[in-house]
Amino acid sequence: MSTDAIVLLKEDHKEMRRLFKEFAKAEEGPASKRQQLVNQILEALTVHTYLENEVMYPEVRKLLPDLEDDILESYEEHHVADLLCAELAAMDASDERFVAKTTVLIENVEHHVEEEEQEWFPKVREALGRNQLQEIGERMIAMRKDAPRTPTAPKAIKKAVDAVTA
Ligand SMILES: [Fe+2]
Ligand SMILES: [Fe+2]
């Protein structure tokens, strides 16, 4: 198994895309299936965002000042997604806005993931050595166990608040 930070983050992205496709397929089916998928989506996003906010983004910002604008934009995109996730976590699948809100969340995340993968991850790969990316990846693996898993977990809320007040 690779410990390369970019490989790990892209694996998360792949799993998110899979869940997003499942959700699209479940739009006509029972609400319970949509609820189950949204729960999985919220968990995947909460863990992934935590690892990027706590490890990947600060590290890239420190090592590659040229990517500062990309990182700042990414924090803002995470913040918008965090708000939608927190609202969805408080909502029931029977709510008339549940599918609409999930769809907007998915559109936002797809756009954000696209920017990471197409625009600035390649620059990080080019600028940092293999060892550095593995070291960052190992830190993310270690943190994953203690990462918040729901948008309402204290660590996740603190992160969302820090993003607007820092
Ligand atoms: Fe991100
Ligand atoms: Fe990401």
Side-chain angles (χ1 to χ4, degrees):
M1 192 187 82
S2 177
T3 59
D4 179 293
I6 291 176
V7 172
L8 295 173
L9 293 173
K10 281 185 168 178
E11 279 170 7
D12 281 358
H13 292 170
K14 200 174 153 200
E15 171 62 6
M16 285 172 205
R17 288 192 177 104
R18 187 188 70 77
L19 291 168
F20 294 167
K21 272 201 201 110
E22 288 288 309
F23 185 82
K25 276 194 272 173
E27 269 191 45
E28 301 303 320
S32 59
K33 179 69 184 167
R34 287 192 289 280
Q35 182 71 65
Q36 182 210 323
L37 283 165
V38 164
N39 292 347
Q40 286 178 271
I41 289 169
L42 295 184
E43 176 170 346
L45 287 177
T46 305
V47 172
H48 182 79
T49 304
Y50 183 77
L51 296 178
E52 287 190 337
N53 282 359
E54 293 295 314
V55 184
M56 186 68 172
Y57 288 9
E59 205 59 38
V60 170
R61 202 175 175 187
K62 189 176 75 193
L63 296 169
L64 304 170
D66 283 356
L67 296 185
E68 171 91 353
D69 289 350
D70 293 292
I71 298 293
L72 289 175
E73 189 179 322
S74 291
Y75 277 128
E76 293 306 319
E77 288 173 348
H78 280 191
H79 176 58
V80 171
D82 284 345
L83 288 177
L84 293 167
C85 285
E87 289 171 347
L88 272 172
M91 219 180 229
D92 191 89
S94 62
D95 193 296
E96 65 171 8
R97 292 165 71 174
F98 190 80
V99 170
K101 204 177 280 293
T102 306
T103 303
V104 170
L105 172 67
I106 288 173
E107 285 169 359
N108 270 277
V109 173
E110 279 176 338
H111 161 84
H112 172 70
V113 161
E114 199 69 16
E115 283 192 348
E116 288 184 334
E117 293 192 355
Q118 304 300 322
E119 290 177 22
W120 64 269
F121 279 5
K123 294 179 192 161
V124 174
R125 157 94 49 226
E126 211 175 293
L128 300 187
R130 201 163 157 244
N131 289 349
Q132 246 171 332
L133 281 168
Q134 285 180 345
E135 191 263 324
I136 296 169
E138 278 156 21
R139 282 173 50 206
M140 292 197 302
I141 290 169
M143 278 190 97
R144 198 173 186 98
K145 298 180 225 30
D146 298 317
R149 307 212 107 72
T150 65
T152 50
K155 271 189 196 169
I157 291 172
K158 182 183 179 301
K159 167 175 66 67
V161 171
D162 285 350
V164 266
T165 56

